Amino acid sequence: ILNVEQSPQSLHVQEGDSTNFTCSFPSSNFYALHWYRWETAKSPEALFVMTLNGDEKKKGRISATLNTKEGYSYLYIKGSQPEDSATYLCARGNEKLTFGTGTRLTIIP
Amino acid sequence: EPEVTQTPSHQVTQMGQEVILRCVPISNHLYFYWYRQILGQKVEFLVSFYNNEISEKSEIFDDQFSVERPDGSNFTLKIRSTKLEDSAMYFCASSFKLAGGTYEQYFGPGTRLTVT
């Protein structure tokens, strides 16, 4: 993998269901992986910064895992709510962030 | 909660004109950044700034671009002679250094620049 890639590009999930999506990145010279939540017309909101292989972080109903050896991270949302509708961006790097294209999540009430 | 602010939210300018995009980073942060997102593309890094100097810049950040922290609170991005392809959303970010050496970057809401 040469770039940061995210899948799927978009996702529709029924309210109350759980969901997850993927960020893939080059595993060589890895330093840190960042997740952001971005609602339209607002600032991207920092969710997690992860550095170590096997890291797991949690913030309320949202959690993330990191595998630096194979170059991927998963973001999980448990019991989706309408306010979770946003674009979720991952970025690799430390001072200079390289972003993926994002996963646009829409929660259907 | 402290936040990064940016002005203006939307700037329309004619090709060849100079523009200055302004940012007020979070007050105790020491590291500052500009990114941009051309419509339909990924967010791209432009430049990082620390201790009144550029610490890293991308290939995009050519001689037409400059950054400044003129008064200890504002952080500005200047484009000297805008081109059509400079049309994008420009994001400012600021960070402090976490224990362990990582930087958690906090982003502003962006300035949409339209070059006509």
Side-chain angles (χ1 to χ4, degrees):
Chain A
I1 295 173
L2 298 177
N3 294 313
V4 179
E5 304 291 349
Q6 291 186 247
S7 63
Q9 282 192 324
S10 68
L11 192 54
H12 289 75
V13 173
Q14 203 69 40
E15 182 178 351
D17 286 352
S18 296
T19 187
N20 64 84
F21 25 93
T22 308
C23 173
S24 305
F25 52 85
S27 54
S28 60
N29 299 317
F30 176 84
Y31 198 97
L33 194 281
H34 305 248
W35 279 102
Y36 287 88
R37 178 177 176 277
W38 186 19
E39 288 183 70
T40 305
K42 294 188 179 179
S43 304
E45 174 196 351
L47 291 174
F48 306 113
V49 180
M50 296 184 289
T51 57
L52 297 176
N53 185 46
D55 257 355
E56 290 187 28
K57 295 218 172 172
K58 190 175 179 183
K59 193 175 188 176
R61 294 179 291 99
I62 305 177
S63 59
T65 61
L66 179 66
N67 182 322
T68 60
K69 292 184 178 178
E70 294 180 47
Y72 64 83
S73 174
Y74 293 135
L75 191 82
Y76 300 90
I77 302 178
K78 187 177 175 182
S80 305
Q81 299 297 309
E83 59 266 28
D84 296 329
S85 295
T87 295
Y88 291 83
L89 294 170
C90 71
R92 178 185 184 272
N94 200 20
E95 287 188 80
K96 173 186 171 181
L97 298 184
T98 302
F99 281 85
T101 47
T103 292
R104 180 175 291 204
L105 176 66
T106 304
I107 306 301
I108 305 163
Chain B
E1 189 172 327
E3 57 184 20
V4 177
T5 58
Q6 291 185 243
T7 54
S9 56
H10 191 189
Q11 172 95 44
V12 181
T13 190
Q14 287 194 322
M15 196 167 55
Q17 295 296 303
E18 175 183 285
V19 292
I20 297 176
L21 309 183
R22 299 178 196 280
C23 168
V24 179
I26 294 172
S27 61
N28 63 341
H29 286 183
L30 299 176
Y31 303 87
F32 313 108
Y33 315 85
W34 283 100
Y35 291 82
R36 77 173 186 190
Q37 186 186 37
I38 294 170
L39 190 64
Q41 298 186 22
K42 294 180 179 182
V43 175
E44 305 173 285
F45 170 82
L46 292 178
V47 66
S48 58
F49 190 85
Y50 169 70
N51 202 24
N52 279 321
E53 2 182 271
I54 290 173
S55 42
E56 189 169 359
K57 60 182 181 179
S58 71
E59 291 176 354
I60 303 165
F61 195 89
D62 62 20
D63 292 344
Q64 292 300 309
F65 291 87
S66 61
V67 289
E68 197 177 28
R69 189 155 159 78
D71 57 12
S73 62
N74 290 283
F75 179 51
T76 61
L77 174 70
K78 185 194 289 188
I79 309 175
R80 285 190 187 81
S81 177
T82 50
K83 303 171 192 162
L84 294 175
E85 54 265 36
D86 293 328
S87 294
M89 181 74 93
Y90 287 80
F91 292 98
C92 172
S94 68
S95 74
F96 55 90
K97 201 170 184 176
L98 298 170
T102 52
Y103 300 87
E104 186 167 39
Q105 296 184 26
Y106 290 76
F107 282 76
T111 292
R112 180 164 297 287
L113 177 65
T114 302
V115 183
T116 62

